[in-house]
Amino acid sequence: MSQPDTKFGEYGGQYVPEALMPAIEELTDAYRRYVLNNEAGFMDEFSERIEDFGGRPTPLQRAEQLSSRYGVDVYLKREDLLHGGAHKLNNALGQVLLAKYMGKERIIAETGAGQHGTATAMAAAHLDMPCEIYMGRRDINRQRPNVFRMRLNGAEVNPVDIGRGTLKEAISETMRDWATTVETTHYVIGSVVGPAPFPAMVRDFHAVISEEIRSQTAAKLGCLPGSVVACAGGGSNTMGAFAEFLGEDDVDLYAVEAGGSSLTVDEEAGVAPHSASLSTGEEGVLHGARTKLLQDRHGQIMESHSVSSGLDYSGVGPQLSHLVDEERVTPVDVGDDDALEAFHRLSQDEGIIPALETAHAFGFLETTLGPDGDGSVEFEEPVVVNVSGRGDKDLEAAIEETEARELENAPDMEVFE
Amino acid sequence: MPYLAAGDPDFESSLEYVEALAAGGADVIELGLPFSEPIAEGPTIQQAVVRSLEGGMTPERFFEFVAALDVDVPLVCMTYYNLIYQYGDEPVRSFVERAAEVGIEGVVVPDLPAEEADLLREACDEFGLDLIFIVAPTTAGDRLDRIMERVSGYVYVQARLGVTGARESLSDHTEETLARLEEYDVPKAVGFGISTGEHAASVVEAGADGVIVGSALIEIIAEGHETDDSTAAVAERIESLARELKAGAIEGGQRRPRPERT
Ligand SMILES: Cc1ncc(COP(=O)(O)O)c(C=O)c1O
């Protein structure tokens, strides 16, 4: 029988209150039986549902304009076309279904950008489970369309007011709910973070992304990708896009973090104006796992920043931390301005409005290969960029952030009264 | 056994509040070293953490705080693992060494289950500190045995599922959990939701050796802070609740068929 991964080098583990440990043991057992060993045909049912309800497989599409702009072959893995508009449904549907197999009666989840909350609300409606979502007040205000989508799907959205009101606080608050309701409730964590077995399990539900990339590049081009590029907040779309290629040393893997407004930190205020935990973070323990974190010298967690809610997190998945230490994954960062520019470029040149999170992955191509690029990276071809989500949820924020900057490639955002 | 967050709302007042607990008859005092992500804490203690951090509390300040305390009661440090891990040059060991130096006698770490505690266990053994584990209403069977093998000092019996916070009534889980622990020869301190002398009496009557009270005491600090009361007035209220809790615990011991120590 396959066994779950609980540690990745020194990273990972299970740093949670004792009250949760029995539930985590139960979940580890369910993950081993149903997911890893397909007991009761669980994975068959998951595959069928993610096809019929989710719309898999998603296309792998050549990006004509970007390929000619950058002089390299660029392909887009279109996770934005998955039901809900982001990769998040792979994991949400997988976990809600697993909760059902485990006999749980209620679903809770945190959300940053609202994409995971939306995906969880959809999956819970689809599988007829009651669902509550915790979301930071700040994120509620910058991702309002998703709040309404969650409510339309029957989920209750609980605002979290403590701290800066972003993803970190939402995760803490969801853990508190879980510590109270653990006997009946499953916590659908939204990325490859948290205590084992979550990082491995969430990765496995998203691994379908790289499995499809592998067969699609084989069928279309007769080769493996040369490079895979994905944005990384917690790192779930990242690990999903990388999973199949971890053992293929010829495939270069780039995790693009949010460089925010600057990579410096303000220790006094406990604020890092970025979310680049892989490139600048230090080892520590947060939300159940040992991983790379943005923290001050005392070990207090710093508030992160990014223009995109989904990347705005002080931690990152433990396996990604390990893969970076092993030099298997290259961490890079793209700031708010470059991400916004990339948001407009993809919209105009390829007819795809990306999520602001996803825009960071495209910003990386521009800052290295674009007309003003620094040429710092030689990409192996073909380059596959994971389009982790679509940008409909970001329109309000993108317009506001665009207006606050002088972006050369932004369209007219005038509102007609 | 009262709990306060050290440095709430500021260093000087907090010293007086802890001394008031000792004057009120506390047998052990749990001192919280605040961490920015207190995932096991309810709103009352979360707010205390915010006040204390805003008042400039750091691990080093915490040790200075303990050194400056004028109390004759065993002190236990309650904090989250990342702070223990990051302190000093040697992860975990430096923290425990410094804690021992200022006279702390034990540590409780709410986000460190027995599985991940080997390093801390070793350091505590080396410097003679107790490592106190939490047993939850969901803890049973092999898990319970594993925890009870590793525990020293006392075991922290979590009276109910959920997070910390004062409650109106006691949880029915308490007696059940205490019954499960009866066979283990380790003092049992019950916490989570206890707020009055009457609660303390019932819990001790049900077999606990001690009661842990945090949020009910912290609410006094929060109220005093909000209405700008003098430190002395707040300290007096804290001492009086500590006295009530202690009297309750003693009374609970006497209600038992065969009285035991509290
Ligand atoms: C579209 C999209 N991409 C990426 C992310 C970041 O998450 P992760 O790093 O787990 O893929 C989010 C999170 O909300 C998202 O909505």
Side-chain angles (χ1 to χ4, degrees):
Chain A
M1 282 215 346
S2 299
Q3 294 298 329
D5 300 335
T6 56
K7 296 225 164 144
F8 308 96
E10 286 295 297
Y11 299 108
Q14 302 177 311
Y15 297 85
V16 292
E18 171 57 27
L20 292 178
M21 282 305 293
I24 283 178
E25 286 180 346
E26 184 191 347
L27 179 63
T28 305
D29 186 53
Y31 165 54
R32 193 185 66 236
R33 286 166 42 207
Y34 297 122
V35 181
L36 296 179
N37 296 289
N38 195 27
E39 197 177 304
F42 174 86
M43 285 306 283
D44 304 324
E45 182 174 350
F46 171 60
S47 298
E48 193 179 323
R49 287 185 187 272
I50 199 68
E51 282 171 24
D52 295 351
F53 179 65
R56 295 214 78 87
T58 61
L60 182 76
Q61 175 216 335
R62 186 161 189 277
E64 309 284 343
Q65 309 302 325
L66 294 188
S67 295
S68 67
R69 181 176 179 89
Y70 299 132
V72 295
D73 241 351
V74 178
Y75 282 82
L76 309 178
K77 179 58 176 165
R78 297 289 308 276
E79 290 297 294
D80 59 313
L81 294 179
L82 192 65
H83 181 41
H87 69 291
K88 298 284 181 188
L89 186 68
N90 300 320
N91 168 50
L93 185 64
Q95 284 200 53
V96 176
L97 187 63
L98 187 63
K100 217 160 178 135
Y101 272 60
M102 291 170 70
K104 298 287 176 186
E105 295 159 13
R106 172 176 173 263
I107 294 298
I108 52 173
E110 90 294 344
T111 196
Q115 287 299 107
H116 174 60
T118 301
T120 305
M122 285 171 170
H126 174 64
L127 292 168
D128 194 22
M129 298 270 264
C131 174
E132 279 181 51
I133 306 291
Y134 290 88
M135 188 171 186
R137 179 80 67 182
R138 180 184 166 85
D139 286 338
I140 285 184
N141 291 330
R142 55 180 174 170
Q143 308 272 253
R144 270 194 305 184
N146 275 341
V147 176
F148 296 121
R149 288 211 291 170
M150 288 183 259
R151 288 190 180 148
L152 284 170
N153 285 132
E156 201 173 309
V157 180
N158 302 318
V160 179
D161 282 311
I162 197 112
R164 251 182 92 249
T166 61
L167 183 56
K168 171 166 74 71
E169 290 78 27
I171 295 178
S172 293
E173 199 56 25
T174 317
M175 286 192 158
R176 292 186 186 108
D177 179 318
W178 202 30
T180 315
T181 57
V182 61
E183 289 163 313
T184 57
T185 298
H186 176 67
Y187 176 9
V188 178
I189 214 164
S191 191
V192 285
V193 301
F198 283 110
M201 184 173 74
V202 175
R203 174 202 65 206
D204 290 352
F205 284 131
H206 282 302
V208 62
I209 301 172
S210 49
E211 284 158 17
E212 288 175 9
I213 294 174
R214 180 192 276 271
S215 54
Q216 288 165 325
T217 51
K220 276 185 208 279
L221 308 163
C223 64
L224 287 173
S227 313
V228 181
V229 178
C231 66
S236 66
N237 90 92
T238 337
M239 285 309 304
F242 294 174
E244 266 288 295
F245 306 118
L246 291 177
E248 303 281 0
D249 289 341
D250 292 339
V251 182
D252 295 340
L253 306 173
Y254 297 97
V256 187
E257 299 191 281
S261 53
S262 144
L263 279 190
T264 56
V265 298
D266 181 349
E267 275 238 352
E268 244 347 86
V271 176
H274 62 85
S275 311
S277 18
L278 284 174
S279 347
T280 71
E282 300 207 6
E283 190 192 337
V285 173
L286 175 66
H287 291 147
R290 177 175 299 194
T291 186
K292 290 181 188 285
L293 300 177
L294 302 178
Q295 55 187 325
D296 70 12
R297 64 182 183 284
H298 305 297
Q300 304 291 1
I301 308 305
M302 285 203 270
E303 301 292 347
S304 55
H305 163 81
S306 168
V307 68
S308 72
S309 309
L311 302 186
D312 196 345
Y313 181 51
S314 319
V316 65
Q319 188 172 13
L320 267 177
S321 293
H322 180 59
L323 290 167
V324 164
D325 282 1
E326 300 272 289
E327 301 186 0
R328 180 65 191 94
V329 167
T330 308
V332 296
D333 53 83
V334 163
D336 290 347
D337 295 359
D338 288 325
L340 275 165
E341 244 184 70
F343 171 89
H344 290 298
R345 184 169 304 106
L346 201 72
S347 304
Q348 282 165 31
D349 293 359
E350 297 289 350
I352 298 169
I353 301 175
L356 281 174
E357 292 79 14
T358 312
H360 287 74
F362 290 97
F364 175 52
L365 297 185
E366 181 72 15
T367 55
T368 49
L369 297 176
D372 298 322
D374 60 14
S376 59
V377 179
E378 255 190 60
F379 285 93
E380 294 296 330
E381 295 176 72
V383 177
V384 175
V385 182
N386 193 29
V387 187
S388 58
R390 65 174 192 230
D392 306 43
K393 69 182 176 64
D394 290 317
L395 294 187
E396 239 180 287
I399 292 171
E400 200 176 291
E401 296 283 350
T402 298
E403 278 179 345
R405 292 170 169 81
E406 306 224 330
L407 293 183
E408 254 173 50
N409 69 349
D412 188 356
M413 291 291 184
E414 186 192 342
V415 179
F416 301 101
E417 297 296 330
Chain B
M1 298 172 51
Y3 165 96
L4 288 183
D8 169 25
D10 61 72
F11 194 93
E12 296 301 328
S13 319
S14 185
L15 282 175
E16 286 190 41
Y17 299 156
V18 175
E19 284 161 11
L21 294 174
D27 295 305
V28 174
I29 297 175
E30 285 190 1
L31 278 181
L33 162 55
F35 176 53
S36 56
E37 297 309 305
I39 55 168
E41 255 55 81
T44 307
I45 297 184
Q46 287 178 41
Q47 293 307 332
V49 164
V50 169
R51 285 191 298 270
S52 165
L53 288 175
E54 280 174 357
M57 186 47 76
T58 64
E60 196 46 53
R61 281 291 276 166
F62 175 81
F63 292 128
E64 290 163 14
F65 181 90
V66 174
L69 272 176
D70 183 17
V71 295
D72 207 9
V73 175
L75 299 172
V76 167
C77 166
M78 181 170 225
T79 195
Y80 287 75
Y81 194 55
N82 199 44
L83 297 185
I84 297 180
Y85 190 76
Q86 302 302 336
Y87 185 84
D89 300 329
E90 268 185 89
V92 180
R93 190 172 178 275
S94 300
F95 185 96
V96 176
E97 182 176 15
R98 181 83 176 106
E101 205 176 280
V102 295
I104 287 171
E105 297 190 17
V107 282
V108 192
V109 189
D111 65 342
L112 193 71
E115 280 79 354
E116 304 284 357
D118 289 350
L119 203 55
L120 183 58
R121 171 80 274 168
E122 246 170 68
C124 284
D125 286 346
E126 182 181 348
F127 294 103
L129 264 65
D130 287 328
L131 178 54
I132 293 124
F133 283 107
I134 297 172
V135 166
T138 43
T139 312
D142 290 351
R143 285 202 62 74
L144 187 57
D145 285 335
R146 252 179 292 156
I147 293 172
M148 298 308 285
E149 270 164 31
R150 289 177 167 85
V151 78
S152 54
Y154 56 93
V155 58
Y156 187 139
V157 182
Q158 184 179 329
R160 63 180 78 227
L161 283 174
V163 293
T164 54
R167 306 284 156 75
E168 297 287 315
S169 63
L170 284 174
S171 154
D172 333 323
H173 280 304
T174 317
E175 281 187 45
E176 248 172 72
T177 313
L178 282 171
R180 239 180 300 146
L181 289 171
E182 207 174 348
E183 59 179 291
Y184 300 93
D185 186 23
V186 178
K188 295 143 197 100
V190 175
F192 273 54
I194 295 169
S195 59
T196 66
E198 187 39 46
H199 289 171
S202 321
V203 168
V204 171
E205 189 182 0
D209 301 284
V211 291
I212 302 170
V213 179
S215 298
L217 291 158
I218 288 171
E219 277 171 9
I220 297 176
I221 298 180
E223 270 165 35
H225 186 63
E226 220 143 83
T227 50
D228 253 336
D229 290 350
S230 73
T231 304
V234 174
E236 203 168 297
R237 275 172 244 155
I238 287 175
E239 184 178 329
S240 129
L241 179 54
R243 238 178 249 297
E244 173 190 328
L245 292 164
K246 175 73 180 262
I250 291 172
E251 147 106 34
Q254 286 161 352
R255 279 196 222 150
R256 276 196 221 169
R258 191 164 40 81
E260 286 172 38
R261 81 189 168 88
T262 54

